[in-house]
Amino acid sequence: MIKAALAALAVLAMAKGAVAEPVRLHAAGSLRDALTEVARAFEAAPGGIAVEAKFGPSGLLRDAIAGGERAEVFASANMEHPASLTRAGKAGPTVLFASNRLCALVRPGLQVSTESLVERLLDPAVKVGTSTPKADPSGDYAFEVFGKMEALRPGSRSVMKAKALQLTGGPNSPKPSPGRSLYGEIVARGDADLFLTYCTNAQAAAREVPGAAVAALPEPLAVGADYGLAVMAGASEPAYRFALFVLSGEGQAILARHGFTAPLRAAGRG
């Protein structure tokens, strides 16, 4: 599937004429650091073109693109959002290009382990933060965790749906301070004691906040996140080249350095 999609992108790239305008990238907020580095590497490569990136919740980006906002490459934190644009004829094939997992970011001073995580999540005194379902796949993945909790503790799904604080990812959610992790700011302020987010986000936030920690989800609650990449219909030739660069050995190595599972790298393509 990946090989076929790569071939399709390559054929389309060769069929386009070169332009000087920046490549317009729309990408999930969790990819900000990784794809910013990928973009800089692409720009520095022979024949590289500037990349103009817009980062945000994947669901909101998908809605903007579907509504006519100009984009050329869409990198989503799930497969469904770009695939919906593919089905609508607004994009080419959707390709799996990275994977992530959900973890719990723990505020300073709260003792949480993988083994005690379910108890802590259900504790009425513990504030649990998530992103916003539908608008941001991270929120959908968090609510998937709540569904898995139901098998361990009947009734826990409704408890968690009622208590979860949807603090990020919505159209009116706060933005992070420049150069800071929003998740780190949330736990540092005490707005949430535990925040269910991508492991890459949680680890970055924990590095910023002294005393914050990251707890892995127990295996019965484990939730993975597959990231999809698509090039929009009518995109420029450099946009196709940038997409191929993300899928290349160099692009996949950068993603891996930022904590993502890079499927093409794992398959021995770099």
Side-chain angles (χ1 to χ4, degrees), residues 134-178:
K134 307 299 183 186
D136 184 356
S138 176
D140 297 312
Y141 296 134
F143 276 64
E144 186 178 340
V145 172
F146 302 156
K148 292 190 171 197
M149 286 176 63
E150 184 73 15
L152 301 178
R153 301 286 185 88
S156 60
R157 175 166 43 198
S158 59
V159 170
M160 294 308 304
K161 288 177 69 174
K163 73 175 290 191
L165 304 171
Q166 298 175 26
L167 301 175
T168 64
N172 300 313
S173 296
K175 302 294 187 288
S177 301

Side-chain angles (χ1 to χ4, degrees), residues 56-94:
S58 296
L60 298 184
L61 293 176
R62 185 273 313 273
D63 291 346
I65 295 169
E69 185 168 298
R70 187 180 174 193
E72 293 188 293
V73 180
F74 180 31
S76 173
N78 68 1
M79 297 291 287
E80 174 54 29
H81 290 331
S84 69
L85 297 174
T86 298
R87 292 193 297 269
K90 294 180 177 292
T94 294

Side-chain angles (χ1 to χ4, degrees), residues 67-229:
E69 185 168 298
R70 187 180 174 193
E72 293 188 293
V73 180
F74 180 31
S76 173
N78 68 1
M79 297 291 287
E80 174 54 29
H81 290 331
S84 69
L85 297 174
T86 298
R87 292 193 297 269
K90 294 180 177 292
T94 294
V95 181
L96 171 66
F97 75 100
S99 296
N100 211 333
R101 294 174 294 116
L102 230 60
C103 283
L105 175 63
V106 184
R107 69 160 172 79
L110 182 65
Q111 298 300 312
V112 179
S113 66
T114 298
E115 293 72 24
S116 66
L117 183 58
V118 171
E119 293 289 347
R120 288 298 199 182
L121 287 170
L122 290 169
D123 186 340
V126 172
K127 292 179 286 187
V128 178
T130 74
S131 196
T132 305
K134 307 299 183 186
D136 184 356
S138 176
D140 297 312
Y141 296 134
F143 276 64
E144 186 178 340
V145 172
F146 302 156
K148 292 190 171 197
M149 286 176 63
E150 184 73 15
L152 301 178
R153 301 286 185 88
S156 60
R157 175 166 43 198
S158 59
V159 170
M160 294 308 304
K161 288 177 69 174
K163 73 175 290 191
L165 304 171
Q166 298 175 26
L167 301 175
T168 64
N172 300 313
S173 296
K175 302 294 187 288
S177 301
R180 290 291 308 279
S181 161
L182 177 58
Y183 307 97
E185 291 183 333
I186 286 171
V187 298
R189 289 195 303 261
D191 294 345
D193 301 308
L194 287 171
F195 200 108
L196 293 178
T197 184
Y198 302 116
C199 294
T200 53
N201 286 347
Q203 291 158 1
R207 288 193 292 268
E208 290 185 6
V209 180
V214 179
L217 273 60
E219 189 58 35
L221 303 187
V223 171
D226 287 338
Y227 285 54
L229 183 77

